[in-house]
Amino acid sequence: MRFARITLGLLLALGGLVVAAAGAFAAFWLVGPDNTISTPAREFDSSGLAVVTAPALLDRHGPTLRVTASGDKPLFVGVAQDLDVRDYLSGAAHTRLVNFDPPATFGTQELKGRTGKLTPPGELDWWVAHSAPGSQSLAWPIQDGRYDVVVMNADGTPAVGAQVTFGVQVNRLFGICLLVLGAGVLVLALGLTLILRRRPTKAPEKLKDTTEIPVIKNQRIPVLVSTAPTPDRNAPAYRVSPFAPDRVSPFAPERVSPFAPTPAAAEQLQSEEAAPEHPAAQPEPIEHPAALPVPTEPAPAQPAAEQPAPAQPTPAARPAPVRPAPVALPAAPMFMTPAAVARAKSPALIGAGASARNDRTTYDVPSIAEPTAESDGAETVPLADSPEFVKSDEAVRRTAALLASGALLLTATSCGLVPAKNSMAAVDSRPAVTLADAQAVVQRYNEVNNRANQTRDAKLAATIEGNPTLAQTEAGFVIGRKLDAAGKEVSKPFSYTDPEIGAPQFTAYPMRFVVSSGVSDAPGSRQLGVWQRESAGGPWKLTHSVYPSKSVEPPSVDGLRTPTVADLNQLRSQPASVAKDLAAYLTGGAKSPQAKLFTPSPGLAKLLELRAKSKASDTAEPYIASVTDTFAPSGAPLTFITSSGDALVFLSLTERYLQRVEPGSNAYWTSGEATAFSNMVKYTQNLYQDYLHQVALVIPAKSSGTAVQILSVDPQLVGAGGA
């Protein structure tokens, strides 16, 4: 038992020491009170434009990533989705970190490419986290998906040199380490207690509590010299062992002792018991039975009147055998059922032969261990029910429960700290822009556009607009400089108000989002525009912009998405076919066969009416032989699926208004917007005017049964001349 206790104590002490050391090392060396595990600073040098991590390095999400960089130049530290970083650094030389071996070993890969300056990273809005101006560190809760960490020069120039430290902050990690430390100390203390604990010295217990029968050496058991007393009438029909009178088996068969008295002797003993004993004849008690001599004097004489008649001896009679006095010996433990214990203690079974009486000369021989009143009622119980066993078993159970509870607590808390594995699909997808970034784009457009309009600066406008909107703006600036050379009729500043943003999901560039907003200087209309980014390093530019009347209700841009093949198959017509039908409709006029396919906007009806009047008046001129007006689709339509399943389509149309000159005549532009593109040049073949139209329309689903609704058609003269 002692060996097992010491062995268990050694194991617990060793395990507790290891756990406590690990907890202390983790708490005060690896983690610290900020709950952050950090790598040592590592020097990264790249002749390219950036140092970037591979998406596989951030394959778990949940904890907070902390990155700190330092170098000779101002550095930029940012985190973005891999699709943005990949497009931004496409074709550029940079260094990629492809693997990490703790504590600070990184595998790198050098990618060759151009080393020209990139767009400064701080001007881009697709970073999910980046360092603030003047700072070179960031903290970002890692998200599920494919993300990269980028370290580069703040101005986008090549030759990056930085010392970078990566850290992961896990909530409650320091507390868990302290808990592990405390658990280790507790287990260590428990082990030392088991090793050093000594069992207390107990006082000698009475022989009744021992489980062994003591061996009596050199001791004789005194016997009675008188004849055996008459057996008790209530005695059972079996005999009691003289060596264990307190243990009686109710199942033992009756055995005839060779020392049992004959019937005549038993009758004589019974008559002697009836006579009273003489008080003076009783001997004094003897302290030790072994020192007693065997008495030989005869018993004192009794009066003749009281003496019984002597029994007539028979020839076959034998003298009564001498029977030793019963000695109470401690019983060995018996494993008996409660029913057996109760039956063995029954008055009918206990007491027969428990003591021997002799009315004649007897010696009271004390037993080796006389049972006391307490021992008379004591029960023999199994070992598993003994108090000592119960106490030790309870201590073991409590210790096991304590260790199990601690292990369960540590397991539960530690498992909750393990970051979850990324589960997002390998194909990256994200909204084109966040709501805040889209509003910032619109706000910047308002500011830059007003400055460009005031100075008619096409280069400045090109930083915020793309074709076809930029083509219309540049043509307007050309016309404005021609018709208002003094700059007195420049447009007044205006802005797009209360923009509503529709940002579909994209998996690659270019990316686009739609804005529906009011116009500060045109309360009777709204602006519906598309902003597009060609590449991750490029700016957002307004590419399509129309101004539908407020009498026309545009669809909601909330929930816009890019179309799938299934979405397009649900439409009444495909966008490209609608563009061709619309061109044919405008070319043929209101009476063309395609007119029934469309519901025209007020602006379109007005345009058709104006073109019909122009044709009639120009044909009436003597030097104009004929007039034709032809529309054609330009570029691919941009299609978005609304939440209702309809398609919001933006497209462009070109228009050539052609006047054929009569043979022998010549003509030239003398006034109007066309003079900005043709300076008093005489043409003998024809005169032409080129227009660029931006159109927004809604293609309904097949099930609706309605026509295509034209939201707005916005023309702009972009050229004029002749032949």
Side-chain angles (χ1 to χ4, degrees):
M1 183 65 183
R2 176 177 172 81
F3 174 76
R5 176 168 52 82
I6 293 178
T7 302
L8 178 60
L10 287 174
L11 293 176
L12 290 178
L14 181 59
L17 181 61
V18 173
V19 172
F25 177 77
F28 301 106
W29 182 263
L30 291 180
V31 182
D34 59 352
N35 297 319
T36 302
I37 304 175
S38 300
T39 65
R42 170 70 188 274
E43 180 74 26
F44 292 107
D45 293 320
S46 175
S47 59
L49 293 160
V51 176
V52 58
T53 63
L57 290 185
L58 298 179
D59 61 346
R60 292 184 178 271
H61 61 278
T64 299
L65 176 67
R66 294 185 178 274
V67 184
T68 302
S70 60
D72 298 334
K73 298 180 180 179
L75 297 174
F76 173 88
V77 182
V79 179
Q81 284 193 245
D82 182 64
L83 71 92
D84 298 307
V85 175
R86 186 173 61 247
D87 190 89
Y88 179 56
L89 297 176
S90 177
H94 61 279
T95 300
R96 182 178 288 269
L97 308 182
V98 293
N99 58 58
F100 171 67
D101 295 326
T105 302
F106 289 89
T108 60
Q109 180 183 12
E110 296 292 335
L111 300 179
K112 297 182 179 180
R114 64 179 185 276
T115 56
K117 179 181 178 181
L118 294 176
T119 303
E123 297 179 4
L124 304 173
D125 58 10
W126 39 258
W127 302 102
V128 296
H130 61 85
S131 56
S135 174
Q136 299 181 137
S137 63
L138 64 82
W140 172 65
I142 304 176
Q143 302 175 10
D144 189 3
R146 295 167 55 85
Y147 291 89
D148 302 336
V149 179
V150 179
V151 178
M152 58 188 301
N153 294 329
D155 56 0
T157 57
V160 179
Q163 286 201 355
V164 184
T165 300
F166 295 92
V168 176
Q169 179 182 356
V170 182
N171 292 334
R172 305 185 305 278
L173 182 59
F174 181 68
I176 294 299
C177 294
L178 292 180
L179 186 60
V180 172
L181 173 60
V185 172
L186 180 62
V187 174
L188 175 61
L190 180 60
L192 294 177
T193 301
L194 292 177
I195 295 174
L196 302 177
R197 183 174 70 88
R198 296 181 180 275
R199 298 188 64 178
T201 303
K202 296 183 179 180
E205 297 181 356
K206 296 181 180 180
L207 291 179
K208 68 181 181 63
D209 295 331
T210 183
T211 58
E212 298 180 358
I213 301 177
V215 180
I216 304 174
K217 298 180 180 180
N218 300 324
Q219 183 173 345
R220 296 186 303 171
I221 301 176
V223 298
L224 300 177
V225 297
S226 60
T227 59
T230 303
D232 189 359
R233 296 177 180 178
N234 296 326
Y238 51 83
R239 299 306 180 193
V240 181
S241 173
F243 301 101
D246 57 338
R247 292 182 55 191
V248 179
S249 174
F251 308 104
E254 180 181 0
R255 297 177 181 269
V256 179
S257 174
F259 303 102
T262 60
E267 183 179 355
Q268 180 182 357
L269 290 176
Q270 184 176 6
S271 62
E272 291 178 356
E273 281 185 352
E277 296 181 352
H278 196 279
Q282 295 184 2
E284 295 293 330
I286 299 175
E287 295 182 358
H288 199 285
L292 294 174
V294 178
T296 60
E297 320 64 296
Q302 296 181 357
E306 297 179 2
Q307 290 183 358
Q312 297 296 328
T314 61
R318 295 188 302 179
V322 178
R323 185 174 58 184
V327 180
L329 297 178
M334 298 181 60
F335 297 88
M336 303 173 63
T337 64
V341 172
R343 185 168 61 251
K345 293 175 63 178
S346 173
L349 301 179
I350 298 178
S355 62
R357 296 182 59 190
N358 187 357
D359 295 334
R360 303 182 66 183
T361 304
T362 61
Y363 291 92
D364 293 336
V365 182
S367 64
I368 296 175
E370 292 188 7
T372 62
E374 295 180 358
S375 62
D376 291 341
E379 293 187 17
T380 301
V381 296
L383 178 61
D385 295 335
S386 64
E388 292 79 6
F389 187 89
V390 172
K391 291 180 180 179
S392 61
D393 186 56
E394 181 66 21
V396 171
R397 284 200 300 268
R398 289 183 179 180
T399 303
L402 179 62
L403 294 178
S405 300
L408 181 61
L409 177 62
L410 291 177
T411 302
T413 53
S414 301
C415 291
L417 298 178
V418 176
K421 191 77 174 179
N422 288 348
S423 59
M424 189 171 290
V427 178
D428 291 340
S429 175
R430 69 170 180 85
V433 69
T434 64
L435 177 61
D437 290 338
Q439 292 175 341
V441 169
V442 174
Q443 181 62 30
R444 181 175 179 271
Y445 177 85
N446 291 336
E447 297 173 357
V448 176
N449 182 60
N450 285 323
R451 292 204 308 269
N453 290 339
Q454 292 295 320
T455 58
R456 298 191 177 103
D457 187 347
K459 291 183 179 181
L460 184 58
T463 62
I464 57 172
E465 291 181 346
N467 290 326
T469 299
L470 179 60
Q472 289 184 332
T473 298
E474 290 176 341
F477 287 167
V478 172
I479 295 172
R481 284 194 295 268
K482 176 66 175 179
L483 300 181
D484 183 28
K488 296 181 180 181
E489 298 180 1
V490 293
S491 60
K492 296 180 180 180
F494 71 95
S495 61
Y496 299 141
T497 60
D498 301 325
E500 298 176 5
I501 311 299
Q505 294 272 340
F506 285 91
T507 59
Y509 284 89
M511 293 187 181
R512 304 177 182 92
F513 68 92
V514 180
V515 175
S516 176
S517 62
V519 182
S520 60
D521 63 345
S525 64
R526 293 183 61 84
Q527 189 264 356
L528 198 60
V530 178
W531 267 263
Q532 176 174 297
R533 171 176 271 163
E534 286 291 339
S535 66
W540 284 108
K541 295 183 176 181
L542 179 62
T543 57
H544 295 73
S545 182
V546 296
Y547 296 86
S549 172
K550 279 196 172 181
S551 60
V552 177
E553 184 65 25
S556 174
V557 298
D558 187 24
L560 286 183
R561 65 179 188 271
T562 54
T564 63
V565 175
D567 292 329
L568 295 176
N569 291 335
Q570 296 298 320
L571 299 178
R572 177 174 180 175
S573 300
Q574 297 299 303
S577 300
V578 171
K580 293 180 180 180
D581 292 338
L582 179 60
Y585 167 40
L586 296 178
T587 299
K591 296 181 180 180
S592 65
Q594 292 80 11
K596 62 181 180 181
L597 302 176
F598 299 92
T599 300
S601 64
L604 178 59
K606 189 175 182 179
L607 174 64
L608 293 177
E609 182 181 354
L610 179 62
R611 290 294 186 265
K613 290 181 178 180
S614 296
K615 287 181 180 181
S617 60
D618 291 341
T619 304
E621 296 291 339
Y623 56 89
I624 299 298
S626 62
V627 176
T628 58
D629 190 14
T630 307
F631 290 80
S634 176
L638 296 182
T639 305
F640 303 92
I641 304 299
T642 65
S643 57
S644 63
D646 298 337
L648 175 61
V649 181
F650 295 86
L651 56 88
S652 300
L653 299 176
T654 59
E655 176 192 6
R656 167 154 289 194
Y657 187 84
L658 182 64
Q659 304 176 55
R660 293 181 176 83
V661 180
E662 287 284 355
S665 301
N666 56 62
Y668 57 93
W669 301 106
T670 59
S671 62
E673 296 178 348
T675 59
F677 306 99
S678 177
N679 189 16
M680 303 298 291
V681 176
K682 295 182 179 180
Y683 303 102
T684 59
Q685 300 297 322
N686 56 61
L687 300 174
Y688 68 85
Q689 292 173 291
D690 290 334
Y691 292 89
L692 179 61
H693 299 263
Q694 291 196 61
V695 182
L697 50 85
V698 175
I699 303 177
K702 294 178 181 178
S703 58
S704 66
T706 58
V708 176
Q709 180 185 9
I710 299 176
L711 301 177
S712 181
V713 177
D714 292 83
Q716 173 63 51
L717 180 66
V718 295

